[in-house]
Amino acid sequence: MKKLSAIIICVLFSISAFSLDLNLRVTPGIVAPLKSDRYKTGFGVFAQGDLDFFGFMNAGVEGNVLLTSATGINESLSFAGGGLGLSFYYAPLSRLHLGAGFAFGPYITSGVISSSGLYWRTYGEVGFRATPELTLSFTGNFIDYETIRNGRFLNGINAGIGLKYVIPIGKKGSSSLTASFVQDEAAFPLFMTAYRNFELGTITLKNNEASEIRNVHVRFRAGKYTASTYESANIPVVQKHSSVEVPLLADFSTEILKYSENGRINGELIIEYELLGKKKHSEQNIILSMNNRNAFCWADPTAISAFISSGTPEVQQLASIISGVETNHLIQGMNKNLQMSAAIFEGLRLFGIIYSEDKITPFVDYHKVYDMDSIQYPLQTMTYLSGDYDDIGILLASCLESVGVPTGYMILDDDFILLIGTNIRVGTELNHFASSDGLLIDDENVYFGLSMADFQKGFTQSRATAFEKIAAAKKEIDIPYDYVNTEYAWAIYSPAVFSSSGNVFEYPTRVEIEKATKKAIDDYINSDLAVVVERAKASKDPNKIGVALFRSGKIKDAKAQFSKSDSISCLNNLANCYMAEKDYDSAAKTYEKVLAKDSSNKIATKGLNSANEKLGR
């Protein structure tokens, strides 16, 4: 018996260093022996001292006293026992406590019968937690007393009302929720909206309360630098004395883009949670390290899309002025996006944008490494009237996206290639270009490129250089080419709109834009569409020849070709030529000829309605 007691004490001292809380419990109740013909209903008390482990298990010692009497004998019989216990518990609701356990140990009796041996019991309990420290429980037991020689002596069922009190020991802490924050790297203002999904760092929450906490909400704000108090995490349950890690997220405002130097900002971590149904609130100051607004690391080239901002007011104004001029001179049938990109490109050159290598962090060096680069926002390039390859490409892409021309980009060792989406149906690119070798074609679009290394040489040379470089990249076997679709990239890296009031710019004149754009378009006609026309002539199909001529702006020649046939295709295209010349009466009559052949022809029906509308019919 002494050895068993010594073992129990040693085990308790050994494990107490790892325990969380000490639970003291007293459970008085009624004991009903199963053999009522031998023993009367009695009274029992169980006292337990448990150490709490892992937030769901208790282990410890207990003592118990049972008072009863044998049937037909007035003298009392008492049992006194003590031993080890193990139990498990769970709190499905804030106030509800469920538990089950097992205990065993030696016992002795006194009174009318003297005996000793071992007892064991198993029990379950349902409790109400009045406070984190105090729980009132209804407990049901089955207990069995065995003698060493004669076997079972007494067994019965016990029911009682128990009281448990929790005393924090071991891993002590303040009776609250604490938070610590670790930031692995300084944040980038460029990704002001991306940090709603990408973590700024890691928050470690430590529950030092005497009970689990529920519905934990973690939010962050930083004064004028944040647009809202943004939620980082919503945790259903954090067990007592447990820690959880959550990401820190933020909804930054455009004020963060005024951060022109590396530094720090003060923020507040707001934590709300429930403790046994009662709402609690905690606030903690944290400091965020920030890079300057122009900082960028090329680890993920897709992220460069955040600089491409079609929503910057100054960009929108510049692009609308240039595109407004070109809109009045668009050639019917020719790809609109190509014409618009030529106008925007030449308009930026006339605006005064020139190439200027970044002497501190040049593009040709820094895009190959993970060192911190410095890249300009579109407004900055407009203000400085210069930029490196990437800076000019970003400004041009921003202007094009603002007028509805889709873009992308390729990062080459010595160049930033801006990709222009034509919206040409895949498979028909040779109806618009002399060759597809230097085009980038995916499942959705056909792109041609513009070399920012040759920006100052004009649209035609820039397009020719990009064509050669894309063709070479497509042939590369060891290093497959890659590109970024701007609008797809925006789904991850939303554009950062850096704007400033009070900027006064001198815009190019209408005459300058018209002249420069016309030259670029004429070069395209001579270099590409002339080849397309010759290919069409080889087919001897008047419709194909007419379409090629129409795309080249040669409407009179196109009409001559379409007039050679009375097919529905030729008649529809002839009517389209009349519409382009604003000869709406001739167009209407030609569409009517088509409908006389095919009354359900959708092209002719739509065209006739349009012509009649122009004629006021």
Side-chain angles (χ1 to χ4, degrees), residues 430-475:
L430 290 182
N431 293 334
H432 301 265
F433 296 96
S435 170
S436 61
D437 292 346
L439 301 177
L440 198 152
I441 304 171
D442 61 19
D443 294 336
E444 299 177 355
N445 212 336
V446 176
Y447 298 86
F448 68 89
L450 293 172
S451 164
M452 296 302 100
D454 276 353
F455 175 78
Q456 289 181 248
K457 295 180 180 180
F459 179 83
T460 300
Q461 184 58 52
S462 175
R463 189 170 72 88
T465 300
F467 187 92
E468 293 176 1
K469 291 184 176 182
I470 292 174
K474 289 166 67 174
K475 292 179 181 178

Side-chain angles (χ1 to χ4, degrees), residues 76 109 211 387 469 609:
S76 64
T109 64
S211 174
K469 291 184 176 182
N609 290 337

Side-chain angles (χ1 to χ4, degrees), residues 241-258:
H241 303 299
S242 295
S243 296
V244 294
E245 292 185 351
V246 298
L248 176 65
L249 306 177
D251 179 20
F252 287 111
S253 69
T254 54
E255 285 291 320
I256 202 71
L257 294 178
K258 296 180 180 179

Side-chain angles (χ1 to χ4, degrees), residues 268-572:
E268 292 178 305
L269 203 61
I270 301 157
I271 308 168
E272 297 174 339
Y273 60 97
E274 295 177 5
L275 178 65
L276 297 189
K278 182 180 179 181
K279 293 185 177 181
K280 301 192 73 173
H281 181 93
S282 175
E283 292 186 10
Q284 180 173 322
N285 291 330
I286 62 174
I287 296 176
L288 282 181
S289 295
M290 301 294 298
N291 289 302
N292 68 82
R293 65 191 174 203
N294 295 101
F296 182 76
C297 178
W298 286 90
D300 182 8
T302 304
I304 204 74
S305 63
F307 281 106
I308 300 173
S309 170
S310 59
T312 301
E314 295 84 355
V315 168
Q316 291 178 329
Q317 185 174 7
L318 174 60
S320 65
I321 289 173
I322 299 171
S323 64
V325 174
E326 178 59 18
T327 299
N328 296 325
H329 297 84
L330 288 174
I331 297 176
Q332 295 292 325
M334 185 182 295
N335 185 258
K336 179 181 177 180
N337 288 1
L338 186 143
Q339 296 179 76
M340 199 61 69
S341 62
I344 297 291
F345 187 104
E346 294 298 338
L348 289 184
R349 289 209 307 141
L350 292 170
F351 184 75
I353 303 296
I354 61 172
Y355 164 71
S356 177
E357 183 185 40
D358 186 338
K359 300 297 183 182
I360 300 175
T361 59
F363 165 79
V364 293
D365 294 329
Y366 272 71
H367 80 273
K368 302 174 186 177
V369 296
Y370 293 165
D371 294 341
M372 197 65 68
D373 196 359
S374 180
I375 297 178
Q376 296 173 180
Y377 290 86
L379 176 60
Q380 292 176 312
T381 304
M382 290 174 61
T383 303
Y384 305 149
L385 294 178
S386 65
D388 210 334
Y389 298 155
D390 47 0
D391 302 323
I392 298 174
I394 287 166
L395 173 58
L396 179 55
S398 299
C399 290
L400 289 169
E401 290 283 354
S402 74
V403 295
V405 178
T407 65
Y409 52 89
M410 290 180 67
I411 308 300
L412 303 181
D413 283 347
D414 60 347
D415 207 345
F416 185 99
I417 302 294
L418 185 65
L419 301 172
I420 312 300
T422 61
N423 293 335
I424 292 171
R425 183 164 55 88
V426 176
T428 65
E429 55 273 4
L430 290 182
N431 293 334
H432 301 265
F433 296 96
S435 170
S436 61
D437 292 346
L439 301 177
L440 198 152
I441 304 171
D442 61 19
D443 294 336
E444 299 177 355
N445 212 336
V446 176
Y447 298 86
F448 68 89
L450 293 172
S451 164
M452 296 302 100
D454 276 353
F455 175 78
Q456 289 181 248
K457 295 180 180 180
F459 179 83
T460 300
Q461 184 58 52
S462 175
R463 189 170 72 88
T465 300
F467 187 92
E468 293 176 1
K469 291 184 176 182
I470 292 174
K474 289 166 67 174
K475 292 179 181 178
E476 185 66 50
I477 299 176
D478 296 335
I479 306 176
Y481 73 91
D482 197 8
Y483 72 99
V484 176
N485 180 308
T486 300
E487 294 179 19
Y488 286 175
W490 276 344
I492 303 173
Y493 300 102
S494 300
V497 180
F498 175 62
S499 178
S500 177
S501 60
N503 292 80
V504 178
F505 297 107
E506 184 176 345
Y507 299 105
T509 65
R510 175 179 294 272
V511 173
E512 290 175 318
I513 296 171
E514 289 175 350
K515 182 179 178 181
T517 304
K518 184 178 185 305
K519 182 183 182 305
I521 296 302
D522 287 344
D523 289 342
Y524 164 65
I525 292 173
N526 294 329
S527 65
D528 286 79
L529 291 183
V531 177
V532 173
V533 170
E534 290 303 314
R535 276 201 297 256
K537 287 181 178 179
S539 71
K540 297 182 180 181
D541 182 339
N543 189 59
K544 288 184 178 179
I545 298 171
V547 169
L549 290 168
F550 184 71
R551 287 199 178 106
S552 301
K554 299 177 181 180
I555 297 179
K556 183 178 180 180
D557 294 338
K559 285 165 56 181
Q561 290 294 324
F562 293 137
S563 298
K564 292 180 179 181
S565 171
D566 63 350
S567 69
I568 289 178
S569 296
C570 281
L571 288 173
N572 267 330

Side-chain angles (χ1 to χ4, degrees), residues 13-281:
F13 273 109
S14 298
I15 64 177
S16 64
F18 303 98
S19 64
L20 301 175
D21 293 325
L22 173 63
N23 301 319
L24 301 180
R25 291 191 287 180
V26 177
T27 308
I30 302 298
V31 179
L34 293 181
K35 293 186 177 182
S36 57
D37 58 333
R38 295 182 59 186
Y39 301 99
K40 296 180 179 179
T41 299
F43 174 78
V45 177
F46 296 88
Q48 296 167 267
D50 293 329
L51 297 173
D52 191 320
F53 298 92
F54 315 118
F56 65 86
M57 183 178 76
N58 294 325
V61 297
E62 72 167 32
N64 57 76
V65 174
L66 171 63
L67 300 177
T68 184
S69 60
T71 302
I73 304 176
N74 292 327
E75 295 186 24
S76 64
L77 174 64
S78 63
F79 294 76
L84 297 175
L86 181 69
S87 63
F88 300 89
Y89 66 90
Y90 174 59
L93 302 173
S94 294
R95 297 282 183 175
L96 180 62
H97 170 87
L98 302 178
F102 175 84
F104 73 98
Y107 76 92
I108 59 173
T109 64
S110 61
V112 66
I113 302 174
S114 294
S115 179
S116 64
L118 296 175
Y119 80 93
W120 63 270
R121 74 179 182 108
T122 182
Y123 62 91
E125 59 182 349
V126 178
F128 173 79
R129 295 189 292 175
T131 70
E133 296 83 9
L134 189 63
T135 301
L136 186 67
S137 301
F138 172 79
T139 303
N141 296 270
F142 175 80
I143 189 166
D144 190 313
Y145 293 94
E146 303 270 351
T147 60
I148 296 175
R149 293 182 179 179
N150 300 321
R152 176 169 295 159
F153 183 34
L154 179 147
N155 60 7
I157 297 173
N158 165 255
I161 303 297
L163 193 65
K164 181 178 76 170
Y165 187 76
V166 179
I167 302 174
I169 63 170
K171 299 179 181 179
K172 295 182 179 179
S174 60
S175 180
S176 63
L177 181 69
T178 59
S180 59
F181 174 66
V182 176
Q183 187 178 11
D184 295 330
E185 63 177 10
F188 291 83
L190 171 68
F191 304 135
M192 50 181 287
T193 56
Y195 285 120
R196 297 171 188 165
N197 300 303
F198 295 162
E199 64 182 59
L200 286 155
T202 303
I203 305 165
T204 301
L205 300 177
K206 176 67 181 296
N207 179 13
N208 298 309
E209 299 282 7
S211 174
E212 84 285 350
I213 57 176
R214 299 174 183 270
N215 299 324
V216 184
H217 294 269
V218 182
R219 298 181 175 90
F220 174 78
R221 66 187 176 202
K224 65 179 182 179
Y225 293 117
T226 48
S228 66
T229 303
Y230 200 73
E231 184 166 272
S232 291
N234 181 358
I235 310 166
V237 180
V238 180
Q239 297 298 334
K240 62 181 178 180
H241 303 299
S242 295
S243 296
V244 294
E245 292 185 351
V246 298
L248 176 65
L249 306 177
D251 179 20
F252 287 111
S253 69
T254 54
E255 285 291 320
I256 202 71
L257 294 178
K258 296 180 180 179
Y259 222 75
S260 58
E261 302 291 338
N262 296 342
R264 298 181 177 183
I265 61 173
N266 291 320
E268 292 178 305
L269 203 61
I270 301 157
I271 308 168
E272 297 174 339
Y273 60 97
E274 295 177 5
L275 178 65
L276 297 189
K278 182 180 179 181
K279 293 185 177 181
K280 301 192 73 173
H281 181 93

